[in-house]
Short mmCIF file of all heavy atoms in Angstrom, two decimals:
data_model
loop_
_atom_site.label_atom_id
_atom_site.label_comp_id
_atom_site.label_asym_id
_atom_site.label_seq_id
_atom_site.Cartn_x
_atom_site.Cartn_y
_atom_site.Cartn_z
N TRP A 286 4.97 12.49 1.34
CA TRP A 286 3.82 11.65 0.97
C TRP A 286 3.62 10.55 2.01
O TRP A 286 2.52 10.30 2.47
CB TRP A 286 4.02 11.05 -0.42
CG TRP A 286 2.94 10.09 -0.80
CD1 TRP A 286 1.76 10.39 -1.40
CD2 TRP A 286 2.92 8.67 -0.57
NE1 TRP A 286 1.01 9.25 -1.57
CE2 TRP A 286 1.70 8.18 -1.07
CE3 TRP A 286 3.82 7.78 -0.01
CZ2 TRP A 286 1.36 6.84 -1.01
CZ3 TRP A 286 3.47 6.45 0.05
CH2 TRP A 286 2.25 5.99 -0.46
N PHE A 287 4.72 9.89 2.38
CA PHE A 287 4.65 8.81 3.36
C PHE A 287 4.00 9.31 4.65
O PHE A 287 3.10 8.68 5.20
CB PHE A 287 6.05 8.26 3.65
CG PHE A 287 6.07 7.13 4.64
CD1 PHE A 287 6.10 5.82 4.20
CD2 PHE A 287 6.06 7.37 6.00
CE1 PHE A 287 6.11 4.76 5.11
CE2 PHE A 287 6.08 6.33 6.92
CZ PHE A 287 6.10 5.02 6.47
N ASP A 288 4.46 10.45 5.14
CA ASP A 288 3.95 10.98 6.41
C ASP A 288 2.48 11.37 6.32
O ASP A 288 1.75 11.24 7.30
CB ASP A 288 4.80 12.16 6.87
CG ASP A 288 6.18 11.73 7.33
OD1 ASP A 288 6.36 10.54 7.68
OD2 ASP A 288 7.10 12.57 7.33
N ARG A 289 2.02 11.83 5.18
CA ARG A 289 0.61 12.17 5.03
C ARG A 289 -0.26 10.92 4.97
O ARG A 289 -1.39 10.92 5.44
CB ARG A 289 0.40 13.04 3.80
CG ARG A 289 0.86 14.48 4.02
CD ARG A 289 0.55 15.38 2.85
NE ARG A 289 1.36 15.15 1.68
CZ ARG A 289 2.57 15.64 1.48
NH1 ARG A 289 3.14 16.41 2.39
NH2 ARG A 289 3.23 15.39 0.37
N VAL A 290 0.26 9.84 4.40
CA VAL A 290 -0.50 8.59 4.30
C VAL A 290 -0.48 7.83 5.63
O VAL A 290 -1.44 7.13 5.96
CB VAL A 290 0.05 7.72 3.14
CG1 VAL A 290 -0.58 6.34 3.14
CG2 VAL A 290 -0.18 8.41 1.82
N ASP A 291 0.56 8.01 6.42
CA ASP A 291 0.69 7.36 7.74
C ASP A 291 -0.31 8.00 8.70
O ASP A 291 0.01 8.88 9.49
CB ASP A 291 2.11 7.50 8.26
CG ASP A 291 2.34 6.83 9.60
OD1 ASP A 291 1.48 6.05 10.04
OD2 ASP A 291 3.39 7.11 10.20
N ALA A 292 -1.56 7.54 8.63
CA ALA A 292 -2.68 8.18 9.33
C ALA A 292 -2.48 8.27 10.84
O ALA A 292 -2.84 9.27 11.46
CB ALA A 292 -3.97 7.45 9.01
N ASN A 293 -1.92 7.25 11.45
CA ASN A 293 -1.77 7.26 12.91
C ASN A 293 -0.37 7.72 13.34
O ASN A 293 -0.04 7.68 14.52
CB ASN A 293 -2.11 5.90 13.52
CG ASN A 293 -1.20 4.80 13.02
OD1 ASN A 293 -0.32 5.02 12.20
ND2 ASN A 293 -1.43 3.60 13.51
N HIS A 294 0.46 8.13 12.40
CA HIS A 294 1.80 8.69 12.66
C HIS A 294 2.66 7.77 13.53
O HIS A 294 3.36 8.23 14.43
CB HIS A 294 1.68 10.08 13.29
CG HIS A 294 0.84 11.00 12.48
ND1 HIS A 294 1.22 11.47 11.24
CD2 HIS A 294 -0.39 11.53 12.71
CE1 HIS A 294 0.28 12.25 10.75
NE2 HIS A 294 -0.72 12.29 11.61
N ASP A 295 2.61 6.47 13.22
CA ASP A 295 3.43 5.52 13.98
C ASP A 295 4.71 5.15 13.25
O ASP A 295 5.44 4.27 13.68
CB ASP A 295 2.62 4.27 14.34
CG ASP A 295 2.24 3.44 13.13
OD1 ASP A 295 2.43 3.91 11.98
OD2 ASP A 295 1.74 2.31 13.32
N GLY A 296 4.98 5.80 12.12
CA GLY A 296 6.21 5.52 11.38
C GLY A 296 6.10 4.33 10.44
O GLY A 296 7.10 3.89 9.89
N THR A 297 4.89 3.80 10.26
CA THR A 297 4.67 2.72 9.31
C THR A 297 3.40 3.00 8.52
O THR A 297 2.51 3.70 8.98
CB THR A 297 4.49 1.35 10.01
OG1 THR A 297 3.35 1.40 10.85
CG2 THR A 297 5.72 0.97 10.82
N ILE A 298 3.37 2.46 7.31
CA ILE A 298 2.15 2.50 6.51
C ILE A 298 1.66 1.07 6.36
O ILE A 298 2.40 0.20 5.89
CB ILE A 298 2.39 3.11 5.11
CG1 ILE A 298 2.76 4.58 5.23
CG2 ILE A 298 1.15 2.96 4.25
CD1 ILE A 298 3.05 5.24 3.89
N THR A 299 0.44 0.84 6.80
CA THR A 299 -0.15 -0.49 6.66
C THR A 299 -0.91 -0.56 5.34
O THR A 299 -1.16 0.46 4.69
CB THR A 299 -1.13 -0.77 7.81
OG1 THR A 299 -2.21 0.17 7.72
CG2 THR A 299 -0.45 -0.67 9.17
N SER A 300 -1.29 -1.77 4.96
CA SER A 300 -2.07 -1.93 3.74
C SER A 300 -3.40 -1.20 3.86
O SER A 300 -3.90 -0.66 2.87
CB SER A 300 -2.26 -3.41 3.39
OG SER A 300 -2.67 -4.15 4.51
N ASP A 301 -3.97 -1.12 5.07
CA ASP A 301 -5.22 -0.37 5.27
C ASP A 301 -5.01 1.12 5.04
O ASP A 301 -5.84 1.78 4.41
CB ASP A 301 -5.78 -0.61 6.67
CG ASP A 301 -6.29 -2.03 6.87
OD1 ASP A 301 -6.60 -2.70 5.86
OD2 ASP A 301 -6.39 -2.46 8.04
N GLU A 302 -3.91 1.66 5.54
CA GLU A 302 -3.63 3.09 5.32
C GLU A 302 -3.38 3.37 3.85
O GLU A 302 -3.82 4.39 3.32
CB GLU A 302 -2.42 3.53 6.17
CG GLU A 302 -2.72 3.61 7.65
CD GLU A 302 -1.49 3.83 8.50
OE1 GLU A 302 -0.42 3.22 8.21
OE2 GLU A 302 -1.58 4.60 9.47
N ARG A 303 -2.67 2.46 3.20
CA ARG A 303 -2.39 2.63 1.77
C ARG A 303 -3.70 2.62 0.97
O ARG A 303 -3.91 3.44 0.08
CB ARG A 303 -1.46 1.52 1.29
CG ARG A 303 -0.87 1.74 -0.06
CD ARG A 303 0.16 0.68 -0.44
NE ARG A 303 1.33 0.76 0.40
CZ ARG A 303 1.69 -0.15 1.29
NH1 ARG A 303 0.96 -1.24 1.47
NH2 ARG A 303 2.76 0.00 2.03
N GLU A 304 -4.59 1.71 1.31
CA GLU A 304 -5.89 1.62 0.62
C GLU A 304 -6.72 2.87 0.89
O GLU A 304 -7.36 3.40 -0.02
CB GLU A 304 -6.65 0.37 1.07
CG GLU A 304 -7.93 0.13 0.32
CD GLU A 304 -7.75 -0.10 -1.16
OE1 GLU A 304 -6.70 -0.61 -1.58
OE2 GLU A 304 -8.66 0.27 -1.93
N ALA A 305 -6.71 3.36 2.11
CA ALA A 305 -7.45 4.59 2.44
C ALA A 305 -6.89 5.77 1.64
O ALA A 305 -7.66 6.61 1.16
CB ALA A 305 -7.36 4.87 3.94
N ALA A 306 -5.60 5.82 1.46
CA ALA A 306 -4.99 6.91 0.68
C ALA A 306 -5.41 6.82 -0.79
O ALA A 306 -5.63 7.85 -1.43
CB ALA A 306 -3.47 6.87 0.80
N ARG A 307 -5.52 5.61 -1.30
CA ARG A 307 -5.96 5.46 -2.70
C ARG A 307 -7.38 5.98 -2.90
O ARG A 307 -7.72 6.46 -3.96
CB ARG A 307 -5.92 3.98 -3.10
CG ARG A 307 -4.57 3.50 -3.45
CD ARG A 307 -4.64 2.11 -4.09
NE ARG A 307 -3.33 1.53 -4.03
CZ ARG A 307 -2.98 0.52 -3.26
NH1 ARG A 307 -3.87 -0.06 -2.49
NH2 ARG A 307 -1.75 0.07 -3.25
N ASN A 308 -8.20 5.84 -1.87
CA ASN A 308 -9.60 6.25 -1.96
C ASN A 308 -9.84 7.69 -1.52
O ASN A 308 -10.96 8.18 -1.62
CB ASN A 308 -10.47 5.31 -1.12
CG ASN A 308 -10.45 3.90 -1.67
OD1 ASN A 308 -10.38 3.70 -2.87
ND2 ASN A 308 -10.48 2.93 -0.78
N ASP A 309 -8.81 8.37 -1.03
CA ASP A 309 -8.94 9.74 -0.54
C ASP A 309 -8.25 10.68 -1.52
O ASP A 309 -7.04 10.63 -1.68
CB ASP A 309 -8.29 9.86 0.84
CG ASP A 309 -8.35 11.25 1.42
OD1 ASP A 309 -9.02 12.13 0.83
OD2 ASP A 309 -7.73 11.47 2.47
N PRO A 310 -9.00 11.56 -2.19
CA PRO A 310 -8.40 12.46 -3.18
C PRO A 310 -7.30 13.34 -2.58
O PRO A 310 -6.31 13.62 -3.25
CB PRO A 310 -9.57 13.31 -3.68
CG PRO A 310 -10.80 12.75 -3.11
CD PRO A 310 -10.43 11.76 -2.05
N ASP A 311 -7.45 13.76 -1.32
CA ASP A 311 -6.41 14.61 -0.72
C ASP A 311 -5.12 13.83 -0.51
O ASP A 311 -4.04 14.34 -0.75
CB ASP A 311 -6.90 15.17 0.62
CG ASP A 311 -8.02 16.18 0.44
OD1 ASP A 311 -8.09 16.81 -0.64
OD2 ASP A 311 -8.83 16.32 1.36
N ALA A 312 -5.23 12.60 -0.04
CA ALA A 312 -4.02 11.80 0.20
C ALA A 312 -3.39 11.37 -1.11
O ALA A 312 -2.17 11.38 -1.24
CB ALA A 312 -4.36 10.58 1.04
N SER A 313 -4.20 11.00 -2.10
CA SER A 313 -3.61 10.56 -3.36
C SER A 313 -2.98 11.71 -4.12
O SER A 313 -2.10 11.52 -4.93
CB SER A 313 -4.67 9.86 -4.23
OG SER A 313 -5.69 10.75 -4.57
N ALA A 314 -3.41 12.94 -3.82
CA ALA A 314 -2.82 14.11 -4.45
C ALA A 314 -1.66 14.66 -3.62
O ALA A 314 -1.10 15.69 -3.95
CB ALA A 314 -3.88 15.18 -4.65
N ALA A 315 -1.31 13.97 -2.55
CA ALA A 315 -0.30 14.48 -1.64
C ALA A 315 1.03 14.75 -2.33
O ALA A 315 1.75 15.66 -1.96
CB ALA A 315 -0.10 13.51 -0.47
N ILE A 316 1.36 13.97 -3.33
CA ILE A 316 2.61 14.18 -4.03
C ILE A 316 2.60 15.51 -4.77
O ILE A 316 3.62 16.09 -5.07
CB ILE A 316 2.93 13.02 -4.98
CG1 ILE A 316 4.40 13.02 -5.34
CG2 ILE A 316 2.07 13.08 -6.23
CD1 ILE A 316 4.84 11.79 -6.05
N ASP A 317 1.40 16.05 -5.04
CA ASP A 317 1.28 17.32 -5.73
C ASP A 317 1.68 18.49 -4.84
O ASP A 317 1.92 19.58 -5.33
CB ASP A 317 -0.15 17.54 -6.22
CG ASP A 317 -0.57 16.48 -7.23
OD1 ASP A 317 0.31 15.78 -7.74
OD2 ASP A 317 -1.77 16.38 -7.49
N LYS A 318 1.70 18.28 -3.54
CA LYS A 318 2.07 19.36 -2.63
C LYS A 318 3.57 19.57 -2.73
O LYS A 318 4.34 18.65 -2.54
CB LYS A 318 1.65 19.02 -1.21
CG LYS A 318 0.15 18.88 -1.07
CD LYS A 318 -0.24 18.57 0.34
CE LYS A 318 -1.76 18.46 0.43
NZ LYS A 318 -2.19 18.21 1.78
N THR A 319 3.97 20.77 -3.02
CA THR A 319 5.38 21.01 -3.30
C THR A 319 6.11 21.71 -2.18
O THR A 319 7.23 22.14 -2.35
CB THR A 319 5.51 21.84 -4.59
OG1 THR A 319 4.77 23.05 -4.43
CG2 THR A 319 5.02 21.08 -5.79
N GLU A 320 5.48 21.86 -1.02
CA GLU A 320 6.19 22.50 0.08
C GLU A 320 7.31 21.58 0.55
O GLU A 320 7.23 20.37 0.39
CB GLU A 320 5.24 22.84 1.24
CG GLU A 320 4.77 21.66 2.05
CD GLU A 320 3.56 20.96 1.47
OE1 GLU A 320 3.03 21.39 0.45
OE2 GLU A 320 3.14 19.95 2.06
#
Side-chain angles (χ1 to χ4, degrees):
W286 174 87
F287 181 97
D288 289 339
R289 285 185 288 277
V290 172
D291 181 13
N293 62 359
H294 306 292
D295 67 350
T297 62
I298 294 179
T299 63
S300 48
D301 291 339
E302 288 171 320
R303 192 174 294 112
E304 185 62 30
R307 280 191 197 109
N308 296 325
D309 179 7
D311 291 334
S313 63
I316 199 169
D317 297 346
K318 297 181 179 182
T319 57
E320 73 275 358

